[in-house]
Amino acid sequence: MNELTKRIGDILKETCGLSEESLEKARAVQEQKGGRIGEVLVEQKAITEADLLKALSIQFGLPVLSDLPTEGLNTDFTQVLPIQFLKKYKMVPVVTPKEAWIAVNDPLVFQAMDDLRLSLGPNGLRTVLAPYSEIISAINYAYDVGRDSAEQVIEGMQEEDDSDRILSEIEETGDLLDETSDAPIIRLVNLMLSQAVKARASDIHVEPFQNKLKIRYRIDGILYDKLSPPKRIYSTLVSRIKIMAKLNIAEKRLPQDGRIEIKIGNKNVDIRVSTLPTTFGERVVMRLLDKSNVLLRLSDLGLSEDRLKIVDRLIRTPYGIILVTGPTGSGKTTTLYAALTTINNPDINIITIEDPVEYQIEGIGQIHVNPKIGLTFAKGLRSIVRQDPDVILVGEIRDLETVEIAIQSALTGHLVFSTIHTNDSAGAVTRLIDMGTEPFLVSSSVIAIMAQRLIRVICGECKEAYTPDEESLQTIGLTPEMLDGKPLYRGAGCPACLHTGYSGRRGIFELLVFDDAIKTLILKTSDSSAIRREAVSHGMVTLRRDGAQRVLDGVTTIEEVFRVTQE
């Protein structure tokens, strides 16, 4: 009996030890619901996808490629084949300088393979089997790379206004890469979003001026000019974004807030949209949150090993207040999420009140403040205390009422995390007392304050060594002797880092732990300079000193540390 006449179930019995009982169960499901027997077995976890591909390889005499290359991938097929066709039949042409195949997940889609070959013309492509995830990744990569850039769409835009056309278009519900609309404005918005995600941007700014329109991306905390579409498309562009965010497109005089959920390839991205009326039209800012990113752990934040141990001990304290301080965009919320993720387990009840809830954490009750209906931080915090929590996170301490309830919660046996806007850790004590909090309540309830900043990391692709001058070193408190003859590093700039010399960010930290000396001092004075001096004398590492250590470690540059720590 040749292999093609051999049933797939029999081959699986021989190759991976599939039991007759599992096969019979799968056949029963197949009779009831239909489908291929191999796919049913994979769904029932009787076999793996790799087992099935191996059996199909034997049955059809086809090789298996477990990894599909994307380097040098020819994406010309994206111009003639709809992405939905390839995704439906789970196949993709893989043509590189070294290889030329049609990768399929199911070798029985003969008609679709014939259609694909006809579309591509005579090319002698042979067939291989590949995992479904590899095929989808290759398809998404090809259509992302192969399509026009946002700049090309802007250049190709017709003179006529697309306003009427856009309002009649249907909203996206699926993958942005599946979008095949011919309306230039829709393509522009989709490309703007997908390019921002690709460039690791956290925000997109659409800013109208008197005679021009500017689109900027915030990448690693810095704004970069990216696109300058013609001003005449401005109203249509804003209308498109407002439709996607389910905002009122007729209301142009009041600020509005909305949300867009999109999928770009295998990334789920949540976009918060904010509009603000200005002299020359509505300004739109979109905050991008990549929901497919796994929440960081404390060890991923960039804390030194000794301070990581202290922080880990502090967040497991049964009661007290831990504050994280720093300017907007310094990663305070990420640090608090990392702390909650670290201590989150079924034994404790964690409740948060945030504005807004940025990431959903499994097993934690999260409340979104809503001042319109009277649900403020203070009111929500009062209700949370009645929910028998062990740990409470308050998104931000903004007023005396919130501080007082947080302190009461800490003094009655709860661990409270929160953020406050000050430049350093000692300044947070002064801010609390300035709000009207009694010094003895601050010293008895707060157990630690951590100030932080985000520094850009030198790009690994274009990192180069150099010897700095003494004056540059002094700006962050270093001396030539501290270098011990070692060079420092900087990024030369390359396409991988968009010629900035930096790629990614990590934190620098200043941890003020409330020991007896600090508590006694707070009862005498709220002067932040005095508190800071006392803490440094007890071994506190300041933000600038922590940044200087990151420079010596070759993580970042002198200029970057000076930028984020200058007062």
Side-chain angles (χ1 to χ4, degrees), residues 60-319:
F60 288 89
L62 297 172
V64 177
L65 273 187
S66 54
D67 296 305
L68 294 182
T70 52
E71 195 173 333
L73 184 69
N74 186 325
T75 60
D76 291 349
F77 66 86
T78 60
Q79 306 301 318
V80 292
L81 291 167
I83 189 172
Q84 296 93 332
F85 170 73
L86 296 179
K87 282 187 173 180
K88 179 181 178 182
Y89 293 107
K90 305 176 197 171
M91 59 186 184
V92 64
V94 180
V95 180
T96 69
K98 296 179 182 176
E99 298 169 281
W101 309 95
I102 290 176
V104 297
N105 187 248
D106 179 0
L108 293 170
V109 289
F110 301 119
Q111 183 63 55
M113 280 193 277
D114 288 345
D115 291 343
L116 185 145
R117 284 194 166 89
L118 282 171
S119 301
L120 297 177
N123 47 33
L125 295 181
R126 290 190 293 151
T127 305
V128 294
L129 296 168
Y132 175 67
S133 59
E134 283 292 309
I135 289 172
I136 292 299
S137 292
I139 292 170
N140 285 334
Y141 173 84
Y143 280 83
D144 194 16
V145 170
R147 66 200 305 167
D148 289 342
S149 68
E151 292 88 342
Q152 289 169 314
V153 171
I154 289 167
E155 284 171 21
M157 278 187 160
Q158 301 299 315
E159 289 297 322
E160 83 265 8
D161 196 323
D162 280 305
S163 302
D164 295 333
R165 189 173 173 184
I166 185 176
L167 297 179
S168 64
E169 287 287 341
I170 299 169
E171 297 175 48
E172 285 82 10
T173 52
D175 190 337
L176 278 197
L177 297 178
D178 292 356
E179 175 58 48
T180 57
S181 172
D182 289 330
I185 204 75
I186 292 179
R187 287 167 57 216
L188 174 60
V189 172
N190 292 349
L191 288 166
M192 192 171 77
L193 294 173
S194 60
Q195 285 184 7
V197 170
K198 203 171 170 185
R200 300 175 292 102
S202 60
D203 302 82
I204 302 171
H205 291 235
V206 179
E207 301 167 341
F209 297 98
Q210 187 168 3
N211 298 313
K212 63 179 180 179
L213 176 60
K214 193 186 282 186
I215 294 174
R216 300 197 286 172
Y217 293 174
R218 188 179 292 281
I219 302 168
D220 291 336
I222 307 293
L223 275 170
Y224 296 96
D225 286 356
K226 281 294 171 187
L227 303 166
S228 293
K231 179 73 189 286
R232 62 187 164 73
I233 72 153
Y234 159 72
S235 61
T236 317
L237 178 67
V238 172
S239 293
R240 177 61 191 158
I241 294 167
K242 286 170 96 172
I243 283 173
M244 292 176 77
K246 298 179 176 64
L247 298 178
N248 181 356
I249 61 169
E251 180 54 79
K252 299 179 181 179
R253 300 161 301 165
L254 292 172
Q256 295 187 66
D257 293 297
R259 179 168 274 189
I260 304 170
E261 287 198 18
I262 59 168
K263 194 176 172 196
I264 298 177
N266 55 357
K267 286 179 185 284
N268 288 309
V269 183
D270 195 22
I271 302 170
R272 293 211 309 270
V273 180
S274 169
T275 69
L276 186 72
T278 67
T279 312
F280 301 112
E282 288 178 287
R283 199 172 179 277
V284 181
V285 175
M286 292 179 274
R287 165 66 58 90
L288 279 64
L289 296 168
D290 183 357
K291 294 204 292 189
S292 54
N293 273 355
V294 180
L295 283 170
L296 292 175
R297 294 163 300 175
L298 276 176
S299 54
D300 300 326
L301 297 176
L303 281 159
S304 59
E305 200 168 322
D306 54 337
R307 282 192 292 175
L308 182 61
K309 286 177 184 170
I310 296 169
V311 171
D312 192 64
R313 174 176 59 79
L314 288 168
I315 64 174
R316 297 177 196 280
T317 309
Y319 54 86

Side-chain angles (χ1 to χ4, degrees), residues 437-500:
T437 316
E438 293 291 343
F440 76 91
L441 287 174
V442 174
S443 66
S444 57
S445 60
V446 178
I447 57 174
I449 301 173
M450 185 159 74
Q452 71 177 73
R453 299 287 188 280
L454 289 176
I455 50 167
R456 293 181 291 169
V457 175
I458 300 167
C459 173
E461 299 290 321
C462 58
K463 192 174 185 177
E464 61 178 19
Y466 79 109
T467 305
D469 57 69
E470 195 169 337
E471 196 178 331
S472 297
L473 288 169
Q474 284 172 355
T475 59
I476 59 167
L478 291 175
T479 62
E481 293 74 40
M482 289 178 179
L483 298 184
D484 197 23
K486 292 183 210 165
L488 295 186
Y489 294 89
R490 62 188 172 193
C494 65
C497 62
L498 304 174
H499 301 283
T500 62

Side-chain angles (χ1 to χ4, degrees), residues 517-533:
I518 295 291
K519 288 178 181 180
T520 305
L521 182 62
I522 290 169
L523 294 175
K524 297 175 187 172
T525 178
S526 63
D527 178 27
S528 62
S529 300
I531 296 167
R532 183 187 178 88
R533 280 195 301 274

Side-chain angles (χ1 to χ4, degrees), residues 379-445:
K379 191 166 183 183
L381 189 48
R382 281 187 203 281
S383 303
I384 285 173
V385 176
R386 299 187 204 109
Q387 290 278 317
D388 185 32
D390 298 294
V391 178
I392 301 167
L393 183 148
V394 185
E396 187 184 337
I397 285 180
R398 295 176 180 170
D399 52 44
L400 178 60
E401 190 182 4
T402 310
V403 181
E404 286 176 339
I405 307 164
I407 288 172
Q408 286 167 18
S409 304
L411 295 175
T412 52
H414 303 93
L415 180 61
V416 181
F417 292 102
S418 192
T419 69
I420 192 167
H421 284 276
T422 58
N423 287 331
D424 60 9
S425 51
V429 177
T430 310
R431 174 66 56 83
L432 290 172
I433 293 170
D434 284 350
M435 280 180 175
T437 316
E438 293 291 343
F440 76 91
L441 287 174
V442 174
S443 66
S444 57
S445 60

